[in-house]
Amino acid sequence: MYKKIMIIAGILTFMFNGNVFGQEKIATYNSTFLSKNFEIQAGKPNEKGDFDYYIDCFSSDTSSSKASLMLKNKEVPEFIEFLSSIKDNFLKWKQTAIENKVTELDKKIEYKNLNYRGAFLYGKWNFDYSVNISARFRIINDKYLLIIDSDGLQSSSNQFIKSDGFRFVFNSTQEIDELINGLDIEKVKEFYADKNGKEDLFKN
């Protein structure tokens, strides 16, 4: 009996370490400051058309190799509104900094409280179902950055497994737009419709 339990646990761990819930890559966005491309993945829409996004982020914790922001498709419009708003701040404050020759700054961008879900890889995928995010404008080494930070994460299955959180780092409006464009809900529907159509060709 014990052996069977261990085999099942191993299978589940393997599944979670690969794709969190069988999601597929839909798009990518780039962070030139971090010299990295990040994936935007999405699960298959259910009968009501609902699905989850898994947006890869930079892990703020060196003990966690990967981290993701999780969004329900119904939460996407609010998140995009947030991105558009802080992008406007970024443009204005960057111009002000250039005109006034400000070379160092780390200033929070005020916005309403946003609470989503997050995941971080520590041996296996761990989930936190209440994650706050905030944004700030920073000037460092002559680079103008828009940073989105999460607060610390705690595994829902083990209170002793924690992470310092995750972040997005952008230094151009083009990079922000890449993320926004990658959250096009219609792209997810089209992707899975196309995939299902191909699979139907090879039914038994």
Side-chain angles (χ1 to χ4, degrees):
M1 182 66 179
Y2 175 77
K3 187 176 180 180
K4 286 183 178 179
I5 292 172
M6 292 305 292
I7 290 172
I8 293 171
I11 292 172
L12 289 174
T13 299
F14 173 78
M15 289 170 62
F16 284 130
N17 283 344
N19 290 65
V20 181
F21 285 118
Q23 69 272 16
E24 299 276 1
K25 175 183 169 183
I26 302 298
T28 62
Y29 70 95
N30 183 48
S31 172
T32 54
F33 182 79
L34 298 173
S35 302
K36 188 173 181 180
N37 282 316
F38 294 90
E39 291 189 357
I40 300 171
Q41 301 176 353
K44 183 178 180 180
N46 63 19
E47 293 177 354
K48 295 181 179 179
D50 294 329
F51 62 89
D52 288 324
Y53 276 105
Y54 303 83
I55 308 169
D56 287 349
C57 312
F58 176 76
S59 175
S60 304
D61 195 321
T62 55
S63 64
S64 175
S65 59
K66 290 184 178 181
S68 296
L69 170 66
M70 300 166 62
L71 294 176
K72 295 181 183 296
N73 62 298
K74 293 177 180 177
E75 294 172 324
V76 167
E78 176 189 62
F79 185 64
I80 289 178
E81 183 181 322
F82 164 67
L83 292 175
S84 298
S85 176
I86 61 175
K87 183 176 79 169
D88 290 342
N89 276 98
F90 173 75
L91 283 170
K92 282 190 267 185
W93 290 2
K94 178 180 177 179
Q95 186 62 34
T96 300
I98 292 171
E99 290 172 355
N100 293 276
K101 298 180 181 176
V102 178
T103 57
E104 290 186 24
L105 185 68
D106 191 351
K107 182 174 176 61
K108 182 177 179 180
I109 299 174
E110 297 297 331
Y111 198 82
K112 66 181 181 181
N113 292 334
L114 293 175
N115 186 272
Y116 298 117
R117 296 167 297 150
F120 62 99
L121 192 61
Y122 183 78
K124 64 174 185 177
W125 280 104
N126 294 273
F127 303 92
D128 187 326
Y129 297 105
S130 180
V131 179
N132 297 309
I133 62 171
S134 58
R136 58 195 170 105
F137 175 73
R138 187 173 183 188
I139 306 173
I140 180 172
N141 298 328
D142 296 321
K143 295 187 184 297
Y144 303 94
L145 304 177
L146 177 64
I147 301 172
I148 301 172
D149 285 310
S150 78
D151 53 11
L153 308 179
Q154 178 178 292
S155 173
S156 61
S157 60
N158 187 332
Q159 63 178 321
F160 299 107
I161 297 178
K162 299 180 180 180
S163 164
D164 291 336
F166 56 76
R167 67 176 42 143
F168 299 81
V169 183
F170 307 106
N171 71 345
S172 72
T173 56
Q174 289 79 12
E175 291 177 2
I176 304 166
D177 287 336
E178 267 190 334
L179 176 55
I180 291 173
N181 294 334
L183 296 174
D184 185 338
I185 291 173
E186 291 305 314
K187 285 183 181 178
V188 178
K189 295 178 180 177
E190 290 170 6
F191 174 87
Y192 279 103
D194 182 59
K195 182 179 179 182
N196 292 340
K198 290 176 180 177
E199 289 176 352
D200 287 344
L201 294 173
F202 300 95
K203 283 186 176 180
N204 291 322

